[in-house]
């Protein structure tokens, strides 16, 4: 077989491979994420994050709505694994940075108990703390 014939077979196989990859990976975007950041954000997006009364008070005091963790918020966040406590047992804590609707930067410390062995918190996520630029100093929420 000459070079032109081999090239045709190669291009035919390559083209079929590209179509198969597109059909399995890129056609449907409602598939689970593969990378760690995607898996964490996907879990947090579909889970109601538990917020303590003290943190609810601090959020309200800083004019942050309690429902700020919506789909638009989760689409724009970054997970910093170097600042996260990923090896913590039974549930790791993640350092997540994002932007609120008013373009204010926020850092969340979220305990993610998506998978925990022998614990009652499995399938939950808890907001442990948050940091914002220029926080209100006259909050009387307790420490």
């Amino acid at each position: 077989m000459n070079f032109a014939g081999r090239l045709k077979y190669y291009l035919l196989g390559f083209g079929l491979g590209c179509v198969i990859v597109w059909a399995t990976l890129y056609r449907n975007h409602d598939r689970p994420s593969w990378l760690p950041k995607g898996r964490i954000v996907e879990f947090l997006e579909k889970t109601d994050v538990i917020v303590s009364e003290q943190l609810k008070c601090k959020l309200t005091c800083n004019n942050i709505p309690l429902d700020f963790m919506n789909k638009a918020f989760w689409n724009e966040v970054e997970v910093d694994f170097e600042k996260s406590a990923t090896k913590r047992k039974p549930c790791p804590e993640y350092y997540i940075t994002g932007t609120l609707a008013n373009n204010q930067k926020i850092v969340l410390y979220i305990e993610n108990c998506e998978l925990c062995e022998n614990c009652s918190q499995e399938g939950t996520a808890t907001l442990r703390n948050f940091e914002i630029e220029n926080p209100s100093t006259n909050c009387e929420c307790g420490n």
Side-chain angles (χ1 to χ4, degrees):
M1 185 181 302
N2 62 10
F3 178 74
R6 287 188 302 221
L7 184 62
K8 285 180 189 177
Y9 278 119
Y10 172 78
L11 290 176
L12 178 68
F14 183 77
L16 286 175
C18 288
V19 169
I20 291 171
V21 167
W22 174 82
T24 57
L25 298 180
Y26 298 110
R27 188 174 45 146
N28 297 340
H29 286 287
D30 56 344
R31 60 179 168 68
S33 297
W34 292 356
L35 298 175
K37 175 201 176 236
R39 289 178 50 98
I40 292 162
V41 172
E42 183 179 35
F43 172 74
L44 294 173
E45 183 180 333
K46 66 182 178 182
T47 304
D48 289 331
V49 177
I50 300 166
V51 182
S52 69
E53 291 301 318
Q54 180 183 6
L55 286 177
K56 284 181 184 177
C57 177
K58 287 173 69 175
L59 287 168
T60 304
C61 181
N62 286 290
N63 297 321
I64 300 172
L66 296 177
D67 61 348
F68 77 95
M69 290 185 269
N70 55 23
K71 186 172 179 107
F73 174 77
W74 291 119
N75 285 338
E76 301 299 323
V77 299
E78 290 296 323
V79 180
D80 188 341
F81 289 100
E82 290 182 5
K83 294 181 181 178
S84 299
T86 58
K87 302 290 185 204
R88 199 175 98 185
K89 298 291 182 190
C91 302
E93 184 176 271
Y94 294 101
Y95 180 95
I96 299 172
T97 57
T99 305
L100 299 172
N102 62 0
N103 291 329
Q104 185 178 24
K105 300 284 186 204
I106 187 167
V107 174
L108 304 176
Y109 297 91
I110 295 185
E111 182 180 61
N112 181 357
C113 291
E114 179 180 9
L115 302 170
C116 64
E117 299 174 13
N118 302 326
C119 72
S120 61
Q121 304 154 327
E122 186 165 9
T124 64
T126 307
L127 179 64
R128 307 289 277 168
N129 201 2
F130 71 93
E131 297 171 0
I132 57 171
E133 298 170 334
N134 304 319
S136 177
T137 57
N138 56 0
C139 293
E140 295 183 13
C141 299
N143 290 333

